[in-house]
Amino acid sequence: MGLVTDPCHTKIVCTLGPASSSDEVLEQMIQSGMDVVRLNFSHGEHSAHKELFDRVRRLSKKYNDQVGILCDIQGPKIRTGKMEEPFFINKGDKIRVTPDTILGTKDRISISYANMLTDLHKDDIIFINDGIVKLVVVDKDEAANDLICECHAAGNISNNKGCNMPSGKLSVNVVTPKDDKDLEFIATLNPEYVAASFVGTGADVRKVRATLDKYGNSDIKIIAKIERPVALDNLDEIIEESDALMVARGDMGVELDAWDVPKWQKEMVRRCNKETKPVIVATQMLESMTENSRPTRAEASDVYNAVIDGADAVMLSGESSVGKYPIEAVRVMNEIVRVAQGNMPDRDPKAYDSAEKNLTETICHASCTIAHEFKEVNFSGKIIVITNKGRAARLISKYRPDLPILAFSDSERVVRELNLVWGVRAHHFPDIVDDLGLEEKAMAAIKTAKEIGYLSALDDKVCVISASRYIGAGVFTGVYDLNALKVYENATKKGGRIGSARASMI
């Protein structure tokens, strides 16, 4: 099968699970607009992940590698221990919290964080059960190894409930023993991306990368999940060390005030766009579709606004993994994205230039200007970029040009990586080799784009960008009139000469 000819610019990431693991459902999700799958390593055995990974790879081949794979590692999880029985804690109640393994009661519970007494201090906060219960530290009893806390928000406490501690001083190990084993396995799977949970600094990203290197895989790109206030404090260094970002609004919405999350979402998207790093907006985007066939109006607005903000991708979680309507959730998200991208405001390219713009970025900026001029004079067309590593395609994308982008690469891996990048459809083209001249490459790319249906009869102009064979020394840009090229093609087919065709055009 060829490329999907009318795809959305903003990509859709879908978490897979029991509701979306069969060939039939997966294929319908691809046809409905799914671009990247997420395998959640917080759940499931390696054997099940391998089976699902292989199934996605096989189906992706059927659709010209139009589906990338993201493996999401669990990271350090802090949870309540076991209780004698679940209980309700009222506002104003006092309760002791210990890292020791005990059977919890309404007076004293265990939380699985060994350095609790060292890292938490008076007035620090502990959230339990997605932030429903809020405990504030009022004192320490070091002899008993307890924190003495007061409840500021009432709720139920039971076994194995997730806990959040917004303090930036937590001495957690980003790569846990479970993560290490998972990364060893993931290194053999060789997905396009790994999402790293609980990242707080650039050094945390380097730890994940070093672990993959240790297991022999330096190709997998790292997505830093931003979930904690400390990560926002260190956002610039995290962006620099990462290959992409995920705005993980679940834990972030617990550790930050809810009204601050939209502000940070917009800021993270803007910074990632400027630094040419793909950014995913995730969590509760169409949450009600886990149970219902239609989203709420607020959810539709949430997806719409993420697209307008400039997100490269929006993500489905429980909606596609365990929900009743996984295919419909993709279709609905795809339609919201399509409406939103039709109403995106023009972007000022200068606002997204790097501080130190190089030659390639300058040409990619120029391609966006060309695309805008095409739109102004009612030309219809596409941007074609010939790329080895995908860098040029990402640079063009960050300017959000008015024309769709088709990337040709001789690397299947790069083709799959670009499934996460706004506005880019990639095609594996091993025949584009460095031995070809620049214009020969351009003609080969245009010919193939027509054959796979990416260029239609309505397209009359195309902008082609290719790096020089002298790596780092130059970038070629060509703008072609497709109708004029037909004159040359027809003359050649009739046995005529290029010269006579040229003369007829002057």
Side-chain angles (χ1 to χ4, degrees):
M1 289 191 180
L3 292 166
V4 176
T5 55
D6 188 27
C8 288
H9 295 329
T10 303
K11 306 303 180 68
I12 297 176
V13 180
C14 298
T15 305
L16 301 189
S20 49
S21 57
S22 70
D23 278 40
E24 180 183 2
V25 172
L26 282 169
E27 186 154 12
Q28 289 187 67
M29 289 170 73
I30 294 170
Q31 293 168 348
S32 299
M34 177 174 71
D35 301 287
V36 177
V37 304
R38 171 178 174 253
L39 304 182
N40 186 357
F41 275 71
S42 295
H43 310 286
E45 301 295 327
H46 284 178
S47 57
H49 287 304
K50 176 71 164 63
E51 183 179 344
L52 195 48
F53 183 97
D54 290 344
R55 185 172 297 142
V56 172
R57 277 284 190 256
R58 174 170 46 80
L59 286 170
S60 179
K61 275 289 176 194
K62 185 175 178 180
Y63 290 88
N64 281 339
D65 289 316
Q66 285 190 79
V67 183
I69 299 179
L70 182 168
C71 293
D72 195 332
I73 58 176
Q74 178 175 281
K77 290 296 181 184
I78 303 173
R79 298 187 180 277
T80 59
K82 291 186 176 181
M83 310 290 162
E84 285 185 358
E85 59 182 6
F87 63 91
F88 187 89
I89 185 169
N90 292 293
K91 184 177 180 180
D93 287 352
K94 295 285 181 65
I95 189 169
R96 286 175 173 256
V97 179
T98 180
D100 298 338
T101 302
I102 64 165
L103 194 60
T105 68
K106 64 180 182 178
D107 299 312
R108 188 170 184 244
I109 63 170
S110 172
I111 288 180
S112 61
Y113 181 53
N115 297 326
M116 189 186 305
L117 267 73
T118 304
D119 293 351
L120 296 185
H121 306 284
K122 188 175 185 296
D123 295 329
D124 280 339
I125 296 168
I126 301 172
F127 289 111
I128 300 174
N129 195 11
D130 288 333
I132 294 173
V133 176
K134 179 182 180 180
L135 305 180
V136 177
V137 178
V138 295
D139 203 355
K140 291 184 183 181
D141 183 347
E142 295 190 9
N145 207 27
D146 288 352
L147 293 176
I148 301 170
C149 300
E150 182 177 293
C151 179
H152 283 212
N156 290 302
I157 297 179
S158 57
N159 298 341
N160 300 316
K161 292 300 178 184
C163 302
N164 295 83
M165 301 173 185
S167 169
K169 301 178 288 292
L170 299 189
S171 50
V172 295
N173 189 352
V174 168
V175 179
T176 66
K178 170 178 165 50
D179 294 333
D180 190 88
K181 290 179 181 177
D182 287 342
L183 288 169
E184 181 179 15
F185 174 67
I186 289 168
T188 65
L189 291 179
N190 198 27
E192 285 64 62
Y193 296 96
V194 160
S197 301
F198 222 69
V199 165
T201 65
D204 292 337
V205 180
R206 292 194 295 271
K207 286 179 187 176
V208 177
R209 202 180 299 280
T211 305
L212 286 168
D213 288 347
K214 178 177 72 173
Y215 292 120
N217 195 320
S218 58
D219 294 328
I220 299 173
K221 295 194 178 298
I222 309 297
I223 300 173
K225 295 171 66 176
I226 306 300
E227 304 168 276
R228 306 173 56 213
V230 66
L232 298 174
D233 294 338
N234 300 313
L235 188 57
D236 286 338
E237 68 179 65
I238 292 172
I239 291 174
E240 183 177 354
E241 293 291 341
S242 305
D243 300 298
L245 239 65
M246 183 186 293
V247 184
R249 303 179 304 177
D251 283 313
M252 186 191 300
V254 173
E255 300 202 10
L256 288 179
D257 290 325
W259 44 87
D260 282 331
V261 173
K263 174 190 74 174
W264 278 109
Q265 173 179 313
K266 291 175 184 295
E267 179 62 17
M268 282 186 272
V269 169
R270 184 191 67 80
R271 290 200 210 177
C272 285
N273 285 177
K274 186 176 176 67
E275 297 304 321
T276 325
K277 302 292 177 78
V279 56
I280 306 166
V281 175
T283 318
Q284 296 180 330
M285 301 216 80
L286 297 178
E287 179 76 8
S288 69
M289 289 195 72
T290 305
E291 295 292 334
N292 305 315
S293 62
R294 290 172 59 86
T296 66
R297 284 75 167 172
E299 288 167 343
S301 294
D302 185 31
V303 175
Y304 183 102
N305 283 308
V307 174
I308 297 298
D309 288 344
D312 286 84
V314 286
M315 192 173 100
L316 296 169
S317 300
E319 306 96 321
S320 57
S321 61
V322 296
K324 294 179 180 177
Y325 306 97
I327 299 165
E328 191 62 24
V330 181
R331 287 177 183 154
V332 167
M333 182 168 267
N334 197 63
E335 288 308 312
I336 298 168
V337 168
R338 192 176 299 282
V339 171
Q341 74 184 29
N343 292 279
M344 286 188 72
D346 287 338
R347 172 171 286 192
D348 178 7
K350 292 181 180 178
Y352 292 87
D353 285 337
S354 300
E356 296 182 5
K357 203 165 47 165
N358 61 18
L359 180 61
T360 303
E361 184 170 343
T362 302
I363 294 299
C364 292
H365 180 138
S367 73
C368 180
T369 304
I370 291 169
H372 184 72
E373 291 301 313
F374 277 16
K375 180 181 177 182
E376 289 293 305
V377 295
N378 293 318
F379 286 163
S380 174
K382 304 288 196 304
I383 295 173
I384 292 177
V385 56
I386 301 166
T387 178
N388 293 322
K389 301 294 185 182
R391 171 74 175 165
R394 289 190 291 271
L395 280 167
I396 296 168
S397 169
K398 81 166 179 173
Y399 293 113
R400 302 300 191 255
D402 292 313
L403 299 180
I405 306 160
L406 174 62
F408 284 114
S409 178
D410 59 0
S411 166
E412 289 180 310
R413 178 175 197 85
V414 168
V415 168
R416 292 192 296 262
E417 287 172 358
L418 290 172
N419 288 314
L420 189 61
V421 179
W422 184 97
V424 178
R425 288 293 150 180
H427 184 71
H428 183 224
F429 196 12
D431 295 334
I432 293 189
V433 294
D434 287 338
D435 290 341
L436 288 177
L438 288 170
E439 194 149 36
E440 288 176 292
K441 283 186 180 182
M443 292 301 103
I446 291 171
K447 180 175 182 290
T448 302
K450 290 179 179 178
E451 290 172 351
I452 63 177
Y454 185 79
L455 288 175
S456 73
L458 298 176
D459 291 319
D460 51 20
K461 303 291 186 294
V462 66
C463 176
V464 181
I465 297 167
S466 175
S468 165
R469 71 173 65 181
Y470 304 107
I471 297 173
V475 182
F476 165 80
T477 304
V479 178
Y480 292 91
D481 184 317
L482 297 179
N483 293 320
L485 284 177
K486 288 179 186 175
V487 176
Y488 285 95
E489 291 173 6
N490 292 335
T492 303
K493 287 176 184 176
K494 294 175 181 177
R497 294 178 303 168
I498 294 289
S500 62
R502 183 185 295 117
S504 69
M505 295 169 57
I506 296 174

